[in-house]
Amino acid sequence: MTDRQSNIAVVTGAGSGIGRAVAVELLRAGWSVTLAGRRAEPLAGTAALAPGAASLTVPTDVSRPDDVEALFTATVDRFGRVDLLFNNAGTFGPGGVPVEELPYDAWRHVVDTNLNGAFLCAQAAYRRMKEQHPQGGRIINNGSVSAHTPRPHSVAYTATKHALTGLTKSLSLDGRPYRIAVGQIDIGNAATDMTARMRTGALQANGEVTPEPVMDVADAARTVRHMAELPLEANVQFATVLATAMPYIGRG
């Protein structure tokens, strides 16, 4: 970053997938990164991919306010401040379940993780960024192409990702007086365990099951790093990074 000497990040959902890829990209670029996720073992696996880098692992359930507060307290205690939050933790929920059959507990789990967790982490980061010196920082929310258009049988995931866009806009507006820049990256078909089924066949809006192309998750990670390393006077408000030929433009 050009306007600060410190590069301190918190990455949620850092034990796998996009979160792991972004955390490793930042660590290898010289950032100090707190790795947050529900289970300690995958977080340790992420840290091991960047040996010698400055990482801190903090098992965290982002849907629990006390866990989130402990996460950011541990980060400041270790590194002194928070320059970046990559708000990534999320779940798709039960796949392929029609809306009329979706259990309420499943709906609540997706909402608690994808939306409530994102809010709690953003709020905790915002508080630190507002009060620290020098003031400010950046929050990048991980949306999805589902923040724009849904897949079949994805009501909980799609609803939370649409809501995340509203969260991004409100945080961006409210952060202006405090040099808190907030943006969102919407990623489509990055190759992770979560998207493995895309390569064998995914349900389309016309009822067909069709294999979909994927892209290297490292391409998404490099995009996040670019957003993160802009000076606070510049912001990527929304970015969409997707496998070029995935059925998104024209989906449905």
Side-chain angles (χ1 to χ4, degrees):
M1 295 183 185
T2 58
D3 60 342
R4 295 189 300 280
Q5 294 184 354
S6 56
N7 292 322
I8 312 301
V10 175
V11 177
T12 66
S16 63
I18 293 167
R20 169 172 281 185
V22 169
V24 170
E25 177 74 18
L26 294 174
L27 286 166
R28 290 175 177 172
W31 287 66
S32 301
V33 182
T34 299
L35 310 171
R38 287 178 299 167
R39 295 178 295 132
E41 186 175 353
L43 297 177
T46 299
L49 295 173
S55 64
L56 171 67
T57 61
V58 182
T60 305
D61 182 340
V62 297
S63 70
R64 298 178 178 271
D66 289 347
D67 277 21
V68 172
E69 185 62 23
L71 166 65
F72 283 87
T73 296
T75 300
V76 173
D77 286 348
R78 171 69 178 274
F79 298 121
R81 59 183 288 116
V82 179
D83 295 304
L84 171 70
L85 165 64
F86 182 47
N87 226 348
N88 167 72
T91 180
F92 192 83
V97 179
V99 61
E100 69 273 18
E101 298 176 12
L102 184 69
Y104 179 65
D105 286 349
W107 167 271
R108 277 293 304 270
H109 175 65
V110 176
V111 172
D112 283 344
T113 303
N114 294 6
L115 180 57
N116 294 343
F119 163 73
L120 289 171
C121 289
Q123 183 183 57
Y126 188 101
R127 286 169 174 162
R128 272 73 178 183
M129 292 171 179
K130 181 180 176 182
E131 298 301 325
Q132 65 195 7
H133 299 282
Q135 189 181 59
R138 189 180 306 274
I139 298 169
I140 301 173
N141 292 324
N142 187 1
S144 168
V145 295
S146 291
H148 303 268
T149 191
R151 289 185 178 275
H153 306 322
S154 66
V155 63
Y157 184 80
T158 297
T160 57
K161 292 303 184 179
H162 275 65
L164 200 64
T165 298
L167 180 69
T168 297
K169 291 179 179 179
S170 287
L171 290 170
S172 184
L173 179 61
D174 292 344
R176 286 178 184 174
Y178 311 109
R179 301 187 76 240
I180 300 173
V182 185
Q184 180 171 316
I185 184 168
D186 297 324
I187 300 169
N189 285 16
T192 67
D193 291 342
M194 187 175 179
T195 61
R197 63 186 177 85
M198 304 294 181
R199 283 170 276 191
T200 57
L203 181 64
Q204 306 298 311
N206 64 0
E208 295 180 358
V209 176
T210 305
E212 295 186 10
V214 297
M215 66 175 181
D216 191 332
V217 69
D219 294 323
R222 283 192 292 269
T223 305
V224 174
R225 180 184 162 196
H226 167 71
M227 296 168 70
E229 292 186 340
L230 289 171
L232 291 178
E233 289 73 26
N235 187 42
V236 176
Q237 189 66 71
F238 292 98
T240 303
V241 182
L242 70 166
T244 303
M246 75 169 288
Y248 166 56
I249 299 300
R251 189 153 100 185

